[in-house]
Structure formats: C-alpha cells, structure tokens
Amino acid sequence: MQTIQSVNEMQSHAIGLRSSGRLIGLVPTMGSLHEGHLSLIDIAKEKSDKVIVSIFVNPTQFGPSEDYEKYPRVLEEDIEKCRERGADIVFNPSVDEMYPPGFSTFVTEEQISSGLCGVSRPHHFRGVTTVCLKLFNITRPDLVVLGQKDAQQCAVIRKMVTDLNISAEIVIGPTHRDADGMATSSRNAYLTDSQRQEALCISQSLRTAKSMVDSGTKSVDRIVAEVIHHLSLSRRIRVIYAQVVDRDTMEPAREIIPGQQLLCVAAWADQIRLIDNIEL
Ligand code: AMP
C-alpha cells in the first residue's frame, strides 16, 4: 500500500490508473478510522480495482467554535488499518497542499444543505462540497463510497455530482453500529463511559420511532414528539433537531410514507455533537 501526500503526485497517479483502465474507488475520510469507515473500504474493494482512502481533517467544514483543533488525529494507526483492510493508496495531504495561501474558490449546494445540520453549522456543507470536489478532481474516482450515517452529507454530495455533471458513481454504505446500537463515530472517542451510556438513547429513540411506523403510526408529529420525549429523559442530552425528512431532498415530511423517509437526529451529549438517522 502506498501513502501519498502531494496533490500533484496523487493526481498524476490517478490519471495513470484511469488511462490503464483501472476502476478507482475513493473513500473520503477525516481519519481516526473505525469499523464504519473500514466497512466502506470493503464496499469500494468489491466494486473497483484500486481503492484510495483519503485522510484529511478538512478545516473549511468546521465552524470557528467547533472541534477542528482537538479532532482526533491518529495517522499511523489509520494507515495500518487501511493496509490491513486492503486499501491500495492512502492520500493524506497537508492543509497547505489542499488550501495553499490565496485559496478563494468554494462550491455551495444551496437547497439540501440549508436544513438539519445546515441550520446550526452554517458553513459546514460548503466546506464538505468544496473538499469533496477537490478530492474528486485529484483522485479521479469512478465511484465514491460514503456512509449513510451522514445522510444529509450523502444527499448534498449526490446533488453536487448531478448538478455539476461529475462522472463518479456515489455508493452509500449502511451505518455501522456497535453491539449496543450506537452508531460508530470518530467523535465517540470524546465520550466518557457515562456520557456514552446516556448517548445510547439516540439510537434507542430511532428504533422506537421505527417500530411506531412499523405498527402503523402515520403522524410525523407523534413520532417526533416520542423521540424528543425519549431523549429528554437523559440529563446530558440536548436535542439540536429531530426531523422526519425525504431521503433525497431532505425536505421535512408531513406524513409518513414508509421506505421514502429518514428520521434524522442531532443532539449534544454535554459538549459533544452527535448525529444519527434511521430509514422509516
Ligand atoms: P468522517 O471521517 O466522519 O468524515 O467520515 C468519513 C466517511 O465515513 C463518511 O462518508 C461517513 O458517512 C462515513 N461514516 C462515518 N461513520 C460511519 C458509520 N458508523 N457507518 C458507516 N459509515 C460511516
């Protein structure tokens, strides 16, 4: 497995791979890799000839008071995990490589990114779309594997790919969960045992909502009220949003249409921001 830090080197290598007919699969990440990320590498391996994992903590997607500085960085461990999982290339550029002095071009998706996380993280998706387009131009993927855990991010990137005629296929891998149901996340590393115990109510509330839908509840308001009630029982949890939305447009739903919607939740566990979602 190769590791590449230079944008130019990565780009010319990717162009070479493509011209020799290799299908390139990209798994973009911010590192601190866990089983959720690694399951995306497995999907990329199945569907492509060369798997590139990018590891880049992207400063432009963090707000000024967010956790950019303290975001977990464990590059050596990550590289080892990628090697064990059978990735072909780890691309881990520096911030200066990706955003050299004078950088001034950003890409914005203006509909799907405006609700949910877009409300409380106003420039977040602009940073995500900008870094993803840069990564796509640098690594020339035939397919890009993203995780359903970040459902709004998936929808925003899908829309960017359509709107900007990018020729990569977007593949979405299912949310990986720990045995207790908690979605794996790099930010879980911040949680103390007791915070984690309380944060479990997030995935529990999603499952409760799903079983309400399965047993015939059609009212979005009843489902959301149940989720908020469930979350309010945990002292350390503060709800940022709990919404039923269309899985593609992220528009708020009026009535449950099974198979077409997601229940998305974001919540603070003390000062740690967690998100999760479930298909209804
Ligand atoms: P991140 O490193 O948090 O930027 O995530 C990189 C990619 O991994 C994104 O496409 C995420 O949606 C995906 N991902 C993160 N957590 C999970 C999970 N628990 N299951 C599946 N994919 C995930």
Side-chain angles (χ1 to χ4, degrees):
M1 191 188 76
Q2 269 178 287
T3 62
I4 299 179
Q5 290 79 42
S6 148
V7 165
N8 287 341
E9 188 187 338
M10 182 68 254
Q11 195 173 43
S12 42
H13 193 67
I15 291 169
L17 286 171
R18 274 192 88 121
S19 60
S20 66
R22 304 305 215 298
L23 279 181
I24 299 178
L26 171 67
V27 181
T29 81
M30 298 207 297
S32 187
L33 301 182
H34 50 68
E35 194 54 36
H37 297 114
L38 302 178
S39 67
L40 305 184
I41 298 179
D42 295 342
I43 296 173
K45 272 177 73 71
E46 252 171 52
K47 293 179 179 282
S48 56
D49 304 316
K50 290 282 175 189
V51 174
I52 303 174
V53 180
S54 63
I55 300 181
F56 179 63
V57 185
N58 174 35
T60 63
Q61 71 188 69
F62 289 80
S65 57
E66 292 183 353
D67 56 344
Y68 174 68
E69 296 298 339
K70 74 168 215 196
Y71 197 84
R73 290 164 173 85
V74 284
L75 184 63
E76 291 312 314
E77 283 173 36
D78 287 345
I79 289 174
E80 206 35 55
K81 287 180 183 170
C82 290
R83 193 192 314 280
E84 280 170 13
R85 210 61 171 225
D88 298 287
I89 300 170
V90 167
F91 175 52
N92 63 304
S94 66
V95 172
D96 262 7
E97 273 288 295
M98 291 294 275
Y99 298 109
F103 182 93
S104 62
T105 305
F106 291 85
V107 187
T108 338
E109 191 288 322
E110 298 193 346
Q111 267 173 17
I112 298 172
S113 53
S114 60
L116 300 175
C117 287
V119 175
S120 47
R121 305 186 75 190
H123 298 294
H124 171 67
F125 288 111
R126 178 182 89 142
V128 169
T129 42
T130 301
V131 81
C132 282
L133 185 56
K134 282 174 68 67
L135 289 169
F136 297 176
N137 284 331
I138 296 164
T139 64
R140 306 292 165 107
D142 294 279
L143 68 104
V144 178
V145 189
L146 305 173
Q148 177 64 23
K149 157 89 174 18
D150 297 272
Q152 188 178 15
Q153 173 168 287
C154 292
V156 168
I157 293 174
R158 264 192 204 284
K159 189 67 175 21
M160 175 182 80
V161 162
T162 305
D163 286 350
L164 301 184
N165 310 99
I166 298 166
S167 66
E169 181 193 352
I170 302 294
V171 176
I172 311 293
T175 300
H176 180 269
R177 296 179 183 281
D178 287 327
D180 56 12
M182 178 110 156
T184 45
S185 164
S186 305
R187 288 192 169 94
N188 292 356
Y190 299 145
L191 297 168
T192 62
D193 287 347
S194 60
Q195 286 171 329
R196 194 183 188 293
Q197 213 43 46
E198 291 212 24
L200 265 180
C201 68
I202 298 172
S203 56
Q204 284 163 353
S205 73
L206 297 179
R207 286 199 303 277
T208 304
K210 171 76 176 142
S211 57
M212 285 173 75
V213 169
D214 289 346
S215 47
T217 307
K218 286 270 184 272
S219 159
V220 167
D221 289 348
R222 271 191 60 200
I223 287 167
V224 169
E226 177 58 35
V227 168
I228 290 175
H229 170 70
H230 193 112
L231 295 174
S232 71
L233 300 177
S234 293
R235 204 171 41 90
R236 296 176 134 150
I237 303 298
R238 273 178 300 133
V239 181
I240 303 168
Y241 62 75
Q243 266 186 48
V244 177
V245 296
D246 179 272
R247 55 186 301 168
D248 300 319
T249 64
M250 299 282 136
E251 290 283 338
R254 297 216 177 104
E255 189 180 57
I256 298 295
I257 309 170
Q260 181 52 39
Q261 292 156 334
L262 301 173
L263 168 62
C264 298
V265 169
W268 293 105
D270 291 332
Q271 66 294 70
I272 301 147
R273 195 178 190 284
L274 300 172
I275 58 171
D276 201 350
N277 67 84
I278 196 164
E279 256 179 59
L280 295 179

